[in-house]
Amino acid sequence: RDRYGRNHFGQSCLQARRLVEEGVPYITVNYKGWDTHKTHFTTMNQKMPEFDMAVSTLLEDLADRGLLEDTIVWCSGEFGRTPRIQWQEPWNGGRGHFASCFSGFVAGGGFKGGHVIGATDAKAEEVVDRPVYPQDLIGSIYELAGIDPQGTILNGAGQPIPLTIPSAGKGRLYEIM
């Protein structure tokens, strides 16, 4: 328990590992509080070490137990944060929403480790190399999980809804890593 961190997120990652060991096929661990409109640095000084400790231990434990090859670990938010700090009132060192650039990572489950895809300019304001679109990421996860990313599901009225939409990117992330 200590290796994961004696905090809510760390213990949630430990529980996720235990659920994987029991064969649970899909697990979500949320770590709220990254929406740092105010006092960004204070929040990050707490959250980043907790995140690093818990996720690195989770990946290590899954690998040591032979479970990482069959388990996809995906960490991201739904958007990025402004590259410039907002010092004026009322933000006092906060960061706003920024949809142009964001980062995330995937590990295990068929993704090749140790690769970076895409790059931003020096100020993290624009993508300058190999943009990755959300549908590229989720489509790759679906495919590795055995789900046809071009498939459909039915809505409440029985109408088919596509699982993904066509991408402007290069698709299948796991094949290019």
Side-chain angles (χ1 to χ4, degrees):
R1 296 187 67 191
D2 289 338
R3 289 178 53 240
Y4 281 86
R6 295 282 183 154
N7 55 70
H8 183 76
F9 181 69
Q11 296 305 293
S12 296
C13 286
L14 172 58
Q15 184 63 41
R17 190 212 71 211
R18 291 174 175 165
L19 291 168
V20 169
E21 290 174 321
E22 294 300 318
V24 175
Y26 185 87
I27 302 152
T28 299
V29 176
N30 288 314
Y31 191 21
K32 297 178 182 181
W34 294 88
D35 200 9
T36 56
H37 291 284
K38 296 181 179 181
T39 61
H40 173 79
F41 296 101
T42 302
T43 303
M44 290 301 103
N45 284 335
Q46 176 209 342
K47 296 190 102 37
M48 288 172 50
E50 290 179 359
F51 180 86
D52 183 53
M53 182 179 203
V55 173
S56 62
T57 302
L58 174 64
L59 294 172
E60 183 180 319
D61 279 359
L62 291 172
D64 288 349
R65 289 165 169 75
L67 296 168
L68 188 57
E69 292 176 16
D70 298 319
T71 304
I72 296 171
V73 177
W74 167 26
C75 296
S76 72
E78 69 276 21
F79 49 77
R81 307 304 299 176
T82 52
R84 294 191 181 123
I85 305 302
Q86 298 166 312
W87 292 109
Q88 70 278 13
E89 291 286 336
W91 310 118
N92 303 321
R95 293 174 74 191
H97 299 171
F98 193 71
S100 297
C101 301
F102 63 93
S103 60
F105 79 86
V106 290
F111 286 98
K112 296 176 185 169
H115 296 272
V116 175
I117 299 175
T120 66
D121 62 11
K123 294 182 179 179
E125 293 175 322
E126 294 183 37
V127 176
V128 296
D129 181 49
R130 181 48 172 96
V132 175
Y133 296 89
Q135 58 266 40
D136 297 331
L137 174 60
I138 196 65
S140 296
I141 291 171
Y142 282 163
E143 195 163 332
L144 289 170
I147 299 167
D148 177 7
Q150 305 306 316
T152 60
I153 58 172
L154 300 179
N155 68 12
Q159 302 163 322
I161 304 296
L163 290 176
T164 60
I165 58 174
S167 173
K170 296 181 181 175
R172 304 168 108 175
L173 299 177
Y174 66 92
E175 288 187 346
I176 60 171
M177 298 194 338

